[in-house]
Amino acid sequence: MALQKTLSLLLLLLLTLLGLGLVQPSYGQFMYQRFLRQHVDFPATGGTNLYCNTMMQRRGMTRPTCKQFNTFIHEDNSTIDAICITPNIRCKNGKMNCHAGVVNVTDCRDTGRTRPPNCSYQGSASTRLVVIACNGNPPLPVHLDR
C-alpha cells in the first residue's frame, strides 16, 4: 500500500513538472538534436571521400546498414535555424513546413563496394540549395528534405 502511494505521488510530481515545462523530453527537441547529429558539421572539416567515410561512421550511419546518401551542412546552427523563418514551401511528403536556403555542404554517397560498419563513401563538396522541414515554436530544423 505504501509503495503504491509513493509511486502515485512520484507520477503526480512528474506530471506537474511536465505541465510547468520544467522537464521537457520533447519530441521536437529530440528530432532537432537528431538533425544536428546527422546533418551538421561546422566548421567544415573536409569534403573528400575520407571525410565522408570518417563522418558517416562517427555519426552512427553505418550500422546496421550503410546509409545510402547523406548531406553534411557546413554552417553554424543559427544560420541553419534561420532557414526555418524563410517562406514555407511544399515538402516531398506534401506538407507545407519546408523552407529553402543556400549553404555549404558535403554530399556523401555510398559506393556499394563494402559492408557495414566499414562502409565506403564518395564525397562531393559544393554550395547549393537545401530544403529543410521545420517544426516547433520557434521552428527548428527536424528533417533534410532535399
Side-chain angles (χ1 to χ4, degrees), residues 14 17-18 21-34 135-138 140-142:
L14 178 61
L17 291 173
L18 283 170
L22 299 176
V23 177
Q24 288 188 329
S26 80
Y27 183 69
Q29 188 64 30
F30 168 78
M31 294 300 292
Y32 177 61
Q33 292 301 320
R34 181 174 181 245
N135 285 331
N137 188 17
L140 293 172
V142 294

Side-chain angles (χ1 to χ4, degrees), residues 62-66 114-119:
T62 60
R63 284 191 179 167
T65 62
C66 300
T114 55
R115 294 181 172 251
N118 300 313
C119 306

Side-chain angles (χ1 to χ4, degrees), residues 44-118:
T45 56
T48 64
N49 296 354
L50 177 60
Y51 168 82
C52 286
N53 292 336
T54 302
M55 290 301 292
M56 293 296 285
Q57 192 163 43
R58 186 178 291 163
R59 299 288 178 97
M61 292 180 275
T62 60
R63 284 191 179 167
T65 62
C66 300
K67 186 173 181 184
Q68 296 295 305
F69 183 84
N70 192 68
T71 299
F72 288 102
I73 302 172
H74 305 301
E75 305 289 346
D76 63 65
N77 291 6
S78 62
T79 299
I80 299 166
D81 294 353
I83 293 173
C84 291
I85 60 173
T86 64
N88 291 47
I89 61 174
R90 188 173 308 280
C91 302
K92 286 193 285 187
N93 66 5
K95 292 184 178 180
M96 288 298 294
N97 66 320
C98 278
H99 307 266
V102 175
V103 292
N104 295 307
V105 301
T106 296
D107 292 315
C108 301
R109 187 174 305 279
D110 181 27
T111 64
R113 290 181 246 167
T114 55
R115 294 181 172 251
N118 300 313

